[in-house]
Amino acid sequence: MTTSTFKPVAEQLAYFKKGVAEIIPEAELKAKLDNSVKTGKPLRVYLGVDPTAPDLHLGHTVVLRKLKHFQDLGHTAIFLIGDFSAMIGDPTGQSETRPPLTREQVGANAKTYLEQVFKILDRDKTEVRYNSEWLAKLTSYEIIRLTAKYPLARMLEREDFRARLAGGWKGQLFQPSEETLRSREGHEPAPTLPSSGKASLAKRPSSMAIHELLYPLLTALDAVELKSDVELGATEQKFNLLVHREIQREYGLPGQAVLTMPILVGLDGQRKMSKSLGNYIGITEPPQEMFGKMMSIPDELMWSYYELVTDRTPQEIAALKQEVTGGKLHPMDAKMRLAQEVVTGFHGADAARKAAEISSTSSATARRLHPCQRLSSSRIQHTWPSSFCLTEDASEPWAQQVCRPDKKNGRGCSRPLSWFRLLRKRNASSNKVASR
C-alpha cells in the first residue's frame, strides 16, 4: 500500500479555498484530492500566462500565489508560458481585436516573466512549459478537427463576444466593405456622391476576427497536452477555463477542476490593477516605492489585499480586522504591517524593514514642518501642506488620525485621507513649506 505524505483532504481543501472566487466543481476537486492522498500521486495543477508585456504587477501574483499553495502541499505546479497563444491574443474583456505580437516581442517578455515568477514559485519544483511545443506543430487538418468539437452557438454565448457582436450589428457590421462595393462597380448602381464628389463607401467598424474564436479552443489543447487535474485563472477567464475542461473530455481525459481567483483592485480603489491605468504596484519596483504604494490604498481595501497577496489565514485576518474595529489597532498600523509583509516577499525582510523605517522617518519629518492652530473640536498638533492635519483626539478609539480640516464648519476634521497621498503631497511641497 502506498504511504501518502499529503495532508488530510479537508485540511488541503480549506487551504486552497482561501481567497478563491469559485471552484468548479468543488466535489470533483475533493474527489481528485482524495485519490491523490490514496495513491500518493500529486495533482497536476497549471496556470497559463500569455507574455504580452515585460513586467508583472501585484495583481498577477494573486493566481501565482494560489499555484504556490498547491506546490507547498506537494502537488506538481506547472507554469505554462503562452508564447504561441500570445501571438493570437486573448479576447477576454477586449472591446476590439488585440494588436498581434511578434515572436521576438513574446520571447523577450517570456524571459522577464520567469525571472519574476520565481520570486513566488520554487524554481526547482516548478515545471515550466511553452505552448508552442504543441500548438506550433498543429496541421490544418488537426485544427479543423479541433473546431468541430465545440459548437459555435456555445462560443457566441460568451458575454464579451455577444457585446462586441451586438455593437458591430448596431454599427452595420455586415454592411459591405469598401472592396466589395468597388468590385460591384459596373454591375450595380454606384454609391451616392456627397458634396465632395467622392463616393461614400461603407467601412466596417472594429469588430471580431475569426482567429479570436479559436483562442479558447487552441489554449484548451494546453490542458489536453499537460493532462492537468486543476487549472487556475482569474474570474474573467472563467469561460476559457470551462472550454478547456470540456475539450479535455472530448479527447478522452477526465475534465479538470477549475479554480478562479478574484481580480485585485488597484490603488485607486475602484478599477482592477493595471499598468495602463497607472494604479499598479510592480513586483520589481524598489522596496521604498512598493511600500509607499501599499500605504496609498484605501483602508477598506487592505483586507482584500491581506487575503489575496499574503499568507495569513482567514482567522488571522479576521482577528486583525477585529483589532482595528475595536480600536486596539490603528488602520495605518495595520496597513504598515501589510506593506512590510508584501515587500518582504519580494525584497527580503531587511529591505522591508528599511522601507518601513524610511516611511516612519518621513512621517515624523512632516509633523515638524510647522505648527498648526488648535481647533476646538480636536487637538490638532501639526499641519500638513495644503491644510492637512494630524490629530490626537481622546474621543477617537485610536491615538492618531490623518484628516482634512472641515472648512465649512471651521473646526475639526471632515474625513480621513490616504497616508500615501499625504506623503506624496508633503514631498512635493516640502521645500516651499520649509522656506516659510
Side-chain angles (χ1 to χ4, degrees), residues 3 10 22 27 91-92 114 127 130 134 144 164 184 247 285 294 317 342 348 353 360 363 383 401 413:
T3 303
E22 193 172 7
T92 301
L114 283 180
E127 182 180 327
Y130 297 81
W134 45 86
I144 291 171
R164 288 173 65 181
R184 293 177 180 175
I247 294 297
E285 290 179 337
M294 287 296 302
I317 297 170
V342 170
R353 187 166 51 252
S360 298
S363 170
T383 191
Q401 182 180 8
C413 288

Side-chain angles (χ1 to χ4, degrees), residues 141-313:
Y141 173 70
E142 289 170 325
I143 293 174
I144 291 171
R145 283 189 61 197
L146 172 63
T147 58
K149 295 181 183 294
Y150 201 83
L152 177 62
R154 289 280 303 280
M155 188 68 72
L156 297 181
E157 287 174 0
R158 181 171 178 162
E159 186 177 346
D160 41 10
F161 283 178
R162 287 204 315 268
R164 288 173 65 181
L165 285 172
W169 180 263
K170 291 177 182 178
Q172 297 181 324
L173 173 63
F174 301 108
Q175 189 170 337
S177 64
E178 289 188 17
E179 292 78 9
T180 302
L181 288 174
R182 288 196 182 98
S183 69
R184 293 177 180 175
E185 289 181 4
H187 302 280
E188 295 184 8
T192 56
L193 295 178
S195 57
S196 64
K198 295 183 179 180
S200 178
L201 297 174
K203 292 186 178 181
R204 292 187 202 272
S206 176
S207 59
M208 284 181 58
I210 292 175
H211 76 285
E212 295 179 88
L213 298 176
L214 293 178
Y215 183 90
L217 294 175
L218 289 172
T219 53
L221 290 181
D222 299 343
V224 173
E225 290 291 333
L226 295 173
K227 295 181 173 58
S228 54
D229 298 301
V230 181
E231 184 177 4
L232 311 177
T235 50
E236 61 183 3
Q237 293 290 329
K238 180 178 177 179
F239 181 90
N240 289 347
L241 304 182
L242 293 179
V243 172
H244 299 175
R245 170 180 161 85
E246 190 163 334
I247 294 297
Q248 271 187 318
R249 290 171 169 171
E250 290 290 331
Y251 280 84
L253 297 170
Q256 63 186 11
V258 168
L259 271 72
T260 60
M261 297 297 293
I263 301 295
L264 188 67
V265 177
L267 303 180
D268 55 8
Q270 298 175 346
R271 299 170 293 180
K272 76 173 186 177
M273 186 172 286
S274 168
K275 285 196 72 173
S276 61
L277 296 175
N279 64 350
Y280 70 99
I281 301 172
I283 67 173
T284 59
E285 290 179 337
Q288 188 178 347
E289 185 173 351
M290 184 180 283
F291 193 99
K293 284 187 174 182
M294 287 296 302
M295 294 302 297
S296 79
I297 64 174
D299 289 352
E300 64 274 11
L301 192 60
M302 69 174 158
W303 304 116
S304 67
Y305 274 58
Y306 264 116
E307 183 176 43
L308 298 175
V309 298
T310 77
D311 286 329
R312 285 181 179 258
T313 66

Side-chain angles (χ1 to χ4, degrees), residues 102 182 334 357 394:
T102 65
R182 288 196 182 98
E357 289 171 357

